[in-house]
Amino acid sequence: MEIDKDLSRKYRPQTFEEVIGAGEIIKSIRANLKRGTKRCFCLTGSAGVGKTTLARLIASSVGCEPQNLSEVDGATNTGIDATRDVAAGMLYKGFGKSGVKVTIVDEAHAISRQSWQSLLKIVEEPPQGVYWIFCTTEPEKIPKTIKTRCHEYNLKPVNKDLIQDLLVRVADEEQFTLSTDILSVIAKQAY
């Protein structure tokens, strides 16, 4: 039997319905997207809780086509020139049917103060069809002037029982033979 080397990607949620342990957050995101009052989001939480996955689901739900989705590593693109380039690219309508553009900034806490200042105007008043999603493990480093313009969600780790249920499902689908004790240990370590 050949084993897929990256089960985390294979079983990454592709829809909001597939996300486990974040029901109230998903409900709130959907309501806010429906209202359309803000097009900026700040997703916070510890490493591995699903911030980037949820950001991609938000992008998909607003009709962003793959060619119009930008994922920026804030830890690498910390300077003002890089940030200005990203912001400038968001001023033009995207390609495709929807024209919606989304930028996901991962590790957003690493962006310099000057870079945040350069983003303030476009985050406050994004052009039609433009969305920003900031993901961070250190929300206290995101300037208040940015946070007040975003829907902010703090993702919590998924509880052990839900993780174990997911592991049982994956083990069944992948035809792995694992004891309940082993699955319990894995779920406990994942929590």
Side-chain angles (χ1 to χ4, degrees):
M1 170 177 49
E2 191 173 316
I3 298 174
D4 185 334
K5 291 188 173 109
D6 197 350
L7 292 175
S8 65
R9 287 189 183 166
K10 182 176 180 180
Y11 289 95
R12 177 177 280 152
Q14 300 300 308
T15 65
F16 284 136
E17 291 78 20
E18 294 176 3
V19 175
I20 62 170
E24 289 303 312
I25 287 175
I26 299 297
K27 186 177 177 181
S28 178
I29 288 171
R30 283 181 157 163
N32 284 322
L33 287 171
K34 189 173 183 179
R35 276 194 294 278
T37 54
K38 294 181 185 177
R39 287 180 274 132
C40 300
F41 295 82
C42 185
L43 305 177
T44 68
S46 58
V49 295
K51 296 178 296 294
T52 305
T53 295
L54 196 53
R56 290 175 183 152
L57 291 175
I58 292 169
S60 177
S61 73
V62 298
C64 181
E65 297 168 75
Q67 70 271 18
N68 296 325
L69 176 62
S70 300
E71 292 191 36
V72 178
D73 176 16
T76 304
N77 298 287
T78 61
I80 192 165
D81 291 335
T83 307
R84 282 184 180 153
D85 288 345
V86 170
M90 297 299 281
L91 296 174
Y92 305 100
K93 185 177 179 182
F95 296 105
K97 291 180 180 178
S98 74
V100 172
K101 294 175 88 172
V102 176
T103 295
I104 298 170
V105 181
D106 205 5
E107 304 297 331
H109 54 269
I111 295 176
S112 72
R113 190 170 92 69
Q114 293 81 9
S115 293
W116 281 117
Q117 291 295 333
S118 72
L119 287 176
L120 188 57
K121 181 69 173 168
I122 196 166
V123 168
E124 184 175 27
E125 297 175 14
Q128 188 61 37
V130 168
Y131 293 81
W132 289 87
I133 307 171
F134 303 105
C135 301
T136 183
T137 55
E138 301 178 46
E140 68 280 0
K141 292 187 177 179
I142 307 296
K144 186 176 180 181
T145 53
I146 295 291
K147 286 168 99 175
T148 59
R149 288 152 173 85
C150 295
H151 294 294
E152 187 174 0
Y153 298 97
N154 184 18
L155 283 72
K156 304 289 184 197
V158 176
N159 77 47
K160 187 177 84 64
D161 292 335
L162 288 175
I163 293 171
Q164 186 159 346
D165 291 345
L166 175 63
L167 290 171
V168 167
R169 183 176 62 85
V170 170
D172 286 345
E173 289 181 24
E174 295 294 324
Q175 299 178 352
F176 295 150
T177 304
L178 300 170
S179 72
T180 304
D181 291 340
I182 294 294
L183 290 170
S184 181
V185 168
I186 295 169
K188 187 175 182 179
Q189 290 299 312
Y191 180 74

